[in-house]
Amino acid sequence: MSITNTPTSNDACLSIVHSLMCHRQGGESESFAKRAIESLVKKLKEKKDELDSLITAITTNGAHPSKCVTIQRTLDGRLQVAGRKGFPHVVYARLWRWPDLHKNELKHVKYCQYAFDLKCDSVCVNPYHYERVVSPGIDLSTLTLSNSGPLIVKDEFDYENQQSHSSSESHLQTIQHPPSRPVPPDTFSNNPLLPPSEGSTSASSSAFSTISAGPSRPVTNEIAFQPPISNHPAPEYWCSIAYFEMDVQVGETFKVPSTCPIVTVDGYVDPSGGDRFCLGQLSNVHRTENIERARLHIGKGVQLECKGEGDVWVRCLSDHAVFVQSYYLDREAGRAPGDAVHKIYPSAYIKVFDLRQCHRQMQQQAATAQAAAAAQAAAVAGNIPGPGSVGGIAPAISLSAAAGIGVDDLRRLCILRMSFVKGWGPDYPRQSIKETPCWIEIHLHRALQLLDEVLHTMPIADPQPLD
């Protein structure tokens, strides 16, 4: 090591790592930081000029100009360290500059030739080649997005092989929906027949790396007079809302009359009724200090709006984001149902439920389940001979998954879940919404009514009467 105690690329890896460890910001554990730095130094050992650039940048806190410090881009763009995968430029920016960095807050400087966003074969991880911008957005002038749908980038930190939650939840992603520019609500389209680039009205979004995209262009309402899906009279209440703290329901379920298409759910203590559900006045003898703290931040909460026959929009009135489980938004983002959590920022106004899409899904799933159950029964009876079948057993096993679709699976299509203040999923300590301090479950009655009709025409698994 040199006389100044600052190492050079000629020094041993251990000495370099030790020196660079002294400049970490403390956001990660010491063991993780050491593994990440060791991995980087070893990769740069054959590129002495880049290693020297890294040492100079880190030990001088960016006071001296430095070159790009590059590593090979992986197939999915992420770096794995200690069983965790993360975007490399964010990993090292957190280590050496901003321990509380959010993944949508980095923008590369103009002179960086190998910035992550440039999609080169090599990725620059020099923390001083990136600038931090204010969350929730970034400088959109450098982003070019097509109209083909939201931009999806994988989670910054995807904990692998976690045993703390089910496999269905282990692949969750958070997709962010920042507020778009103000657009009169009646200019939005409810058209489920248009392709996503035409009919999607949600703000463009991203997943855990969260490059927050700009607003999608508004579309005029071309189907305002679309005939109803069903001639059955609309239900007396268009939705019912249950409030939970962790896994316990608190208070009575609140029903919203169809005469009140807009309902506000807030954290205040006024009496609830009609178009307003106040969570602040609900008591819970088992309420913890953490829950109490979170409840204080619900504030103005959210507005739920029923449009047309049963589409639902959400407006976040709170000063804090809300987190939504929505099969409609999953589909818009190109995700499998239940595969994402959607972070809706303050002032954002976004569609979270499409009745026609839901109706098509429930018809398809019910038909699939009914056909699979019939085929399974025939296979068990040995009536479907085929390659590899032994008395019909093999075909029965292959059909069991499809035949296992039940009423509860279809009911989930008609339910929205939303947590206040705190999110869940791999990006958070909470892996399930039932671990969040305050959340609501919204049952959409028109959708449940349609499901009842579907089940009467093609019953599956002895359907139970719906509420």
Side-chain angles (χ1 to χ4, degrees):
M1 190 175 290
S2 63
I3 301 174
T4 60
N5 291 328
T6 299
T8 69
S9 57
N10 293 319
D11 287 305
C13 285
L14 190 61
S15 299
I16 299 171
V17 170
H18 176 75
S19 176
L20 296 178
M21 279 286 287
C22 295
H23 294 271
R24 67 188 182 92
Q25 296 299 306
E28 296 288 352
S29 67
E30 183 176 352
S31 60
F32 177 85
K34 188 175 181 181
R35 293 276 292 276
I37 295 172
E38 282 177 345
S39 170
L40 180 57
V41 170
K42 287 177 181 176
K43 286 176 178 151
L44 297 175
K45 208 53 177 145
E46 301 303 317
K47 298 188 284 186
K48 293 185 179 296
D49 57 335
E50 293 189 22
L51 182 52
D52 280 326
S53 286
L54 175 70
I55 295 168
T56 298
I58 301 307
T59 56
T60 65
N61 295 323
H64 298 296
S66 52
K67 299 177 182 177
C68 284
V69 177
T70 62
I71 60 174
Q72 188 72 27
R73 181 185 290 270
T74 59
L75 287 175
D76 66 356
R78 295 184 295 172
L79 170 74
Q80 180 164 325
V81 178
R84 291 163 55 179
K85 280 191 173 183
F87 293 111
H89 64 310
V90 180
V91 171
Y92 293 108
R94 276 179 168 168
L95 275 181
W96 283 310
R97 295 195 70 182
W98 306 287
D100 61 341
L101 179 71
H102 290 281
K103 295 159 290 296
N104 57 322
E105 295 181 336
L106 282 185
K107 183 183 73 169
H108 64 270
V109 295
K110 291 181 180 179
Y111 52 82
C112 183
Q113 297 178 312
Y114 297 96
F116 181 83
D117 294 337
L118 298 180
K119 309 294 185 188
C120 301
D121 290 339
S122 296
V123 179
C124 179
V125 295
N126 185 336
Y128 293 94
H129 277 205
Y130 295 88
E131 296 172 346
R132 189 175 188 178
V133 293
V134 179
S135 178
I138 65 171
D139 181 1
L140 297 178
S141 64
T142 61
L143 272 180
T144 302
L145 297 179
S146 67
N147 287 329
S148 60
L151 174 65
I152 299 299
V153 189
K154 290 192 176 181
D155 172 28
E156 160 56 28
F157 278 129
D158 182 10
Y159 291 77
E160 296 186 336
N161 304 317
Q162 286 198 45
Q163 303 300 318
S164 60
H165 48 92
S166 69
S167 60
S168 64
E169 291 180 328
S170 62
H171 303 295
L172 280 176
Q173 290 188 339
T174 293
I175 298 177
Q176 302 203 3
H177 302 268
S180 59
R181 65 180 183 274
V183 178
D186 60 358
T187 64
F188 286 104
S189 168
N190 294 325
N191 191 347
L193 304 177
L194 295 175
S197 61
E198 298 289 329
S200 172
T201 56
S202 64
S204 298
S205 53
S206 71
F208 276 134
S209 85
T210 46
I211 299 173
S212 298
S216 55
R217 58 189 178 86
V219 183
T220 55
N221 192 340
E222 300 171 0
I223 53 166
F225 303 105
Q226 197 165 31
I229 299 171
S230 168
N231 293 323
H232 198 284
E236 181 182 359
Y237 301 96
W238 72 266
C239 78
S240 55
I241 306 170
Y243 169 65
F244 293 83
E245 292 176 359
M246 307 295 278
D247 58 352
V248 176
Q249 182 174 349
V250 177
E252 298 294 323
T253 298
F254 182 80
K255 294 186 176 181
V256 183
S258 294
T259 54
C260 299
I262 299 178
V263 60
T264 301
V265 183
D266 60 43
Y268 300 126
V269 295
D270 300 320
S272 297
D275 62 354
R276 189 175 175 199
F277 185 20
C278 296
L279 306 178
Q281 45 91 25
L282 299 176
S283 59
N284 177 10
V285 295
H286 301 295
R287 184 171 292 151
T288 65
E289 186 180 342
N290 285 340
I291 294 173
E292 194 65 69
R293 266 201 308 272
R295 279 168 51 84
L296 292 174
H297 295 289
I298 296 174
K300 295 179 182 179
V302 296
Q303 232 175 33
L304 305 173
E305 181 176 0
C306 181
K307 288 189 173 188
E309 193 176 353
D311 294 351
V312 180
W313 291 64
V314 167
R315 188 187 304 276
C316 181
L317 304 175
S318 173
D319 292 334
H320 296 267
V322 294
F323 299 80
V324 179
Q325 190 176 65
S326 159
Y327 288 175
Y328 169 76
L329 288 179
D330 292 344
R331 189 182 180 95
E332 290 294 288
R335 306 295 304 169
D339 202 25
V341 180
H342 300 268
K343 183 175 183 179
I344 300 179
Y345 280 90
S347 301
Y349 178 67
I350 188 169
K351 185 177 181 179
V352 294
F353 181 80
D354 186 290
L355 185 67
R356 289 181 183 275
Q357 183 190 92
C358 176
H359 187 237
R360 286 197 301 271
Q361 284 181 294
M362 62 177 68
Q363 284 181 315
Q364 290 166 1
Q365 289 192 25
T368 299
Q370 189 181 47
Q376 186 183 44
V380 169
N383 294 334
I384 305 180
S389 64
V390 181
I393 299 301
I397 293 172
S398 66
L399 291 165
S400 61
I405 298 174
V407 177
D408 286 344
D409 298 297
L410 297 177
R411 282 178 65 95
R412 289 191 193 100
L413 299 173
C414 312
I415 295 171
L416 297 169
R417 285 176 161 185
M418 180 185 305
S419 69
F420 295 95
V421 186
K422 302 292 185 180
W424 77 96
D427 204 30
Y428 300 91
R430 300 157 294 277
Q431 300 304 323
S432 160
I433 195 171
K434 293 183 179 180
E435 297 172 34
T436 62
C438 39
W439 59 281
I440 54 176
E441 185 171 85
I442 305 150
H443 290 239
L444 303 171
H445 292 188
R446 184 60 167 173
L448 289 167
Q449 194 180 57
L450 295 177
L451 175 58
D452 208 22
E453 291 183 14
V454 168
L455 292 176
H456 275 96
T457 58
M458 50 178 88
I460 62 170
D462 299 317
Q464 301 297 313
L466 300 176
D467 296 334

